[in-house]
Amino acid sequence: MSSVRVLVGTRKGAFILTSDERRKEWDVAGPHFAGWEIYHIQGSPADPNRLYASQSTGWFGQLIQRSDDGGATWEPVGNEFVYQGVPGTHQWYDGTPHPWEFKRVWRLEPSLTDPDTVYAGVEDAAMFKSSDGGKTWQELAGLRSVKGNLWAPGAGGMCLHTIVLDPSDPQRMFIAISAAGAFRTDDGGETWRPINRGLVSNYEMPDPHAEVGHCVHSIAMHPARPGVLFMQKHWDVMRSDDAGEMWREVSGNLPSDFGFPIAMHAHEPETVYVVPIKSDSEHYPPDGKLRVYRSRTGGNEWEALTNGLPQSNCYVNVLRSALAVDRLDACGVYFGTTGGQVYASADAGDNWAPIVRDLPAVLSVAVQTLP
């Protein structure tokens, strides 16, 4: 019988939730690293017992933790994230030059085929790679050479928060940075180029069509169609059918086109999930109703999924890394909120129930489907 492991990073530690394929009863383990912010915790597709976690506090800085037994025990690994060469400057909030400074790891993305290879997206925005299970890290510095001097922080900082690996081409990766935009490499990270054509940022940038500077919140890809990408932007839900060469808006009938996460159904390449919130200043659901929206048509036509979710007086947010799916036949969908709830649907979003309540604010949710 298959099982599911849900990896939850919060403001005050990590939690590991496990269930069988029925996804009715859940075991809750944690908090691991109690009191620490866990920006991201992720498992290796090549070895489900290999987990990586990004542990951070304002007092003690950044630590990378690794588990080789599915989260039962952990050990700190390498924590030296050094920008290559002379880092130079990027733009600050007011447009003035500001030196590059490492703050924390926002995203950990293990290789699809090698449990010892893992990528890290950091703040200030840069991409790092480890080939020895996280013991040592090297910057893929070609990324910052793509007009990095013009990048500027979004409201939450200048973070590389999304890494998408192409399962059909191990040399191709997509990343997103707030607030610089989306970028692609076709040579394993040696060189990069911006993929922001079609993005329009009328309120955030002097030139709304600029090559870099767009605030991309998240990117999703279905593994069966690696050339088709979906994006939740600062405003607008977008789609590309040519690996990011051109984007078009597919917000359609959403009540708000502002949000943070986006995810794909495991088996239906045209089924997409988003969680709209009211605006960039009011980070809560429209009308106080917590609703996940699903499109079965690749965008434009969206339906509200509400059964089991609070439909009055709900003012939580769902952050960019806090929505994920499993790979079981009846695709499960999971998300965590800033109110500390983790909701699960075992039927692709038709019905929801909380796995846990009253955790610290949820920063990330990742799912492993285990044999």
Side-chain angles (χ1 to χ4, degrees), residues 293-366:
Y293 277 77
R294 177 177 64 196
S295 173
R296 295 190 184 274
T297 57
N300 288 319
E301 300 173 3
W302 299 87
E303 58 179 323
L305 307 176
T306 63
N307 193 20
L309 300 178
Q311 294 305 293
S312 63
N313 302 316
C314 183
Y315 296 97
V316 298
N317 193 6
V318 180
L319 302 180
R320 71 182 86 241
S321 296
L323 173 67
V325 302
D326 67 32
R327 300 194 311 274
L328 294 175
D329 289 340
C331 178
V333 189
Y334 308 81
F335 70 92
T337 78
T338 54
Q341 301 84 27
V342 178
Y343 289 96
S345 170
D347 52 13
D350 290 339
N351 298 279
W352 299 89
I355 301 176
V356 288
R357 295 182 181 272
D358 304 321
L359 296 183
V362 175
L363 302 178
S364 69
V365 173

Side-chain angles (χ1 to χ4, degrees), residues 131-149:
S131 300
D132 55 11
K135 295 177 182 177
T136 60
W137 298 90
Q138 295 79 40
E139 187 192 5
L140 301 179
L143 174 61
R144 287 191 301 113
S145 70
V146 188
K147 298 187 176 181
N149 62 304

Side-chain angles (χ1 to χ4, degrees), residues 183-229:
F183 300 81
R184 191 182 89 197
T185 179
D186 296 307
D187 56 14
E190 290 296 318
T191 62
W192 298 79
R193 62 189 182 90
I195 50 168
N196 298 307
R197 290 180 61 213
L199 304 187
V200 182
S201 300
N202 287 315
Y203 307 108
E204 300 88 53
M205 300 163 53
D207 176 3
H209 302 275
E211 187 176 34
V212 300
H214 301 273
C215 192
V216 177
H217 286 178
S218 190
I219 297 174
M221 169 204 292
H222 194 283
R225 289 195 314 182
V228 179
L229 302 173

Side-chain angles (χ1 to χ4, degrees), residues 147-327:
K147 298 187 176 181
N149 62 304
L150 299 179
W151 302 356
M158 196 174 78
C159 51
L160 196 164
H161 50 69
T162 300
I163 302 171
V164 178
L165 308 180
D166 186 334
S168 70
D169 182 354
Q171 296 298 303
R172 175 173 285 185
M173 294 180 281
F174 304 87
I175 63 96
I177 296 170
S178 177
F183 300 81
R184 191 182 89 197
T185 179
D186 296 307
D187 56 14
E190 290 296 318
T191 62
W192 298 79
R193 62 189 182 90
I195 50 168
N196 298 307
R197 290 180 61 213
L199 304 187
V200 182
S201 300
N202 287 315
Y203 307 108
E204 300 88 53
M205 300 163 53
D207 176 3
H209 302 275
E211 187 176 34
V212 300
H214 301 273
C215 192
V216 177
H217 286 178
S218 190
I219 297 174
M221 169 204 292
H222 194 283
R225 289 195 314 182
V228 179
L229 302 173
F230 291 88
M231 173 191 293
Q232 174 66 68
K233 192 169 148 287
H234 190 86
W235 294 101
D236 307 325
V237 177
M238 308 294 291
R239 172 178 176 150
S240 173
D241 293 303
D242 50 15
E245 299 291 342
M246 177 60 74
W247 297 87
R248 58 186 172 90
E249 186 178 356
V250 292
S251 304
N253 62 323
L254 289 171
S256 167
D257 57 7
F258 189 92
F260 287 100
I262 192 165
M264 306 292 302
H265 190 289
H267 313 299
E268 300 173 6
E270 286 289 283
T271 298
V272 192
Y273 300 91
V274 296
V275 186
I277 56 178
K278 187 174 180 181
S279 71
D280 53 359
S281 61
E282 297 170 281
H283 285 190
Y284 51 77
D287 304 317
K289 300 177 180 180
L290 183 56
R291 294 169 287 184
V292 177
Y293 277 77
R294 177 177 64 196
S295 173
R296 295 190 184 274
T297 57
N300 288 319
E301 300 173 3
W302 299 87
E303 58 179 323
L305 307 176
T306 63
N307 193 20
L309 300 178
Q311 294 305 293
S312 63
N313 302 316
C314 183
Y315 296 97
V316 298
N317 193 6
V318 180
L319 302 180
R320 71 182 86 241
S321 296
L323 173 67
V325 302
D326 67 32
R327 300 194 311 274

Side-chain angles (χ1 to χ4, degrees), residues 4-6 8 10 14-19 25-32 340 342 354-360:
V4 174
R5 183 189 291 147
V6 180
V8 182
T10 80
F15 297 82
I16 300 179
L17 320 176
T18 54
S19 183
E25 303 292 332
W26 293 85
D27 293 324
V28 180
H32 303 274
V342 178
I355 301 176
V356 288
R357 295 182 181 272
D358 304 321
L359 296 183

